[in-house]
């Protein structure tokens, strides 16, 4: 029996990622003799990082000593202190923070200025969340990060003492996570100001993937294991149908029996997954039925 393979429309680079990758490539082409550094991985995808490395664009965790050139702030954003340091050290600053992430930073700042106790719904160790928190911390020390109700519960006493609670969300978070945290906050807060900052690309991607999961035996999620939006996709879909999360087509070999036994297969991908990686996965699954 031939397989029915569906490829999600909302799969692969979102506009923020596309903008970041294309801008860095253009910067290198226009400044062949300048050193270009990216502070942290531009996006969470090893293939893209390697491609940029091959072009001579250097990914670094800390600003290099005794160097000059262009320093790129990645799509996840950075703290105000880091932005200041880049310029003080004499680098040409190119800020490629995703516009949607910038909006979250601005909303968190506004809530802090308004005197709200700020709750960031997201993973504390994620670079986007670290930068959002650092921006809000310029105006308040009443700020916490929580990715589930248990983490939030530890701060219940502090939250109860505060009249107003302001909530922003990591752009790639699950709507279900936000809903559960809000449901809990309602029980301990007098006044809640929610700014739902889950980006439209994430919302559409998750919605479409859920629909595909309901009509397919198997969903293949393609993208880095370090990518928050990709791992959230896989988590959501596992509750609906059989789901595998792979980084590239080589990993399909591990799931050969599952692929063989599935007649209806959907493929989706995270916002930092290159199109050629998605295409290779599609071709390998398609080729496997011959």
């Amino acid at each position: 029996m031939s397989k029915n393979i569906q490829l999600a429309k909302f799969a692969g680079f979102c506009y923020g990622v596309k903008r970041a990758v294309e801008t860095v490539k253009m910067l290198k082409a226009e400044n062949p003799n300048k050193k270009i550094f990216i502070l942290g991985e531009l996006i969470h995808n090893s293939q893209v990082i390697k491609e940029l490395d091959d072009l001579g664009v250097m990914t670094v965790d800390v600003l290099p000593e005794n160097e000059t050139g262009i320093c790129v702030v990645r799509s996840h954003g950075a703290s105000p202190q880091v932005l200041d340091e880049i310029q003080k050290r004499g680098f040409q600053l190119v800020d490629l923070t995703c516009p949607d992430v910038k909006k979250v930073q601005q909303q968190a700042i506004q809530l802090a200025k308004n005197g709200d106790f700020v709750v960031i719904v997201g993973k504390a160790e994620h670079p986007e969340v670290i930068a959002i928190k650092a921006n809000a911390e310029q105006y308040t020390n009443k700020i916490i990060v929580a990715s589930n109700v248990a983490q939030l519960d530890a701060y219940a006493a502090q939250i109860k003492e505060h009249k107003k609670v302001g909530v922003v969300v990591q752009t790639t978070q699950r709507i279900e996570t936000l809903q559960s945290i809000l449901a809990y906050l309602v029980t301990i807060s007098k006044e809640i100001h929610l700014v739902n900052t889950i980006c439209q690309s994430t919302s559409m991607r998750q919605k479409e993937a859920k629909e595909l999961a309901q009509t397919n035996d198997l969903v293949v999620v393609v993208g880095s294991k370090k990518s928050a939006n990709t791992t959230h996709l896989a988590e959501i879909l596992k509750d609906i149908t059989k789901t595998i999360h792979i980084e590239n087509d080589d990993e399909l070999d591990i799931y050969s029996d599952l692929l063989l036994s599935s007649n209806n297969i959907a493929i989706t991908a995270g916002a930092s997954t290159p199109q050629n990686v998605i295409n290779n996965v599609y071709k390998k699954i398609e080729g496997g039925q011959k």
Side-chain angles (χ1 to χ4, degrees), residues 19 28 32 58 75 89 94 98 100 134 152 156-157 200 213 263 268 274:
R19 165 182 169 266
K28 188 59 188 172
M58 291 165 275
S75 53
R89 294 270 295 273
V94 177
C98 170
D100 285 333
L152 195 60
Q200 191 180 16
N263 291 321
T268 187

Side-chain angles (χ1 to χ4, degrees), residues 132-241:
I132 294 165
K133 187 169 182 276
N135 274 274
E137 279 174 336
Q138 298 173 100
Y139 304 95
T140 185
N141 59 1
K142 295 181 175 67
I143 178 166
I144 58 167
V145 177
S147 60
N148 55 55
V149 171
Q151 289 176 1
L152 195 60
D153 188 50
Y155 299 93
Q158 288 173 249
I159 294 168
K160 282 177 184 174
E161 286 172 11
H162 221 72
K163 186 194 168 195
K164 300 185 296 179
V165 177
V167 182
V168 292
V169 198
Q170 182 182 351
T171 57
T172 53
Q173 266 298 321
R174 297 174 57 173
I175 188 71
E176 293 86 353
T177 302
L178 173 60
Q179 287 167 335
S180 65
I181 282 176
L182 279 176
Y184 175 76
L185 277 174
V186 166
T187 67
I188 61 168
S189 309
K190 292 277 194 295
E191 193 176 318
I192 300 170
H193 302 148
L194 166 67
V195 189
N196 181 358
T197 48
I198 296 174
C199 78
Q200 191 180 16
S201 171
T202 296
S203 299
M204 291 189 301
R205 197 180 303 262
Q206 290 180 1
K207 181 176 181 288
E208 181 192 33
K210 284 181 196 172
E211 289 166 359
L212 288 170
Q214 284 160 2
T215 56
N216 284 276
D217 314 320
L218 174 68
V219 180
V220 179
V221 179
V222 188
S224 170
K225 303 287 188 345
K226 289 196 286 185
S227 161
N229 77 87
T230 312
T231 51
H232 287 148
L233 262 185
E235 286 166 8
I236 291 165
L237 303 179
K238 277 173 183 167
D239 294 335
I240 306 171
T241 192

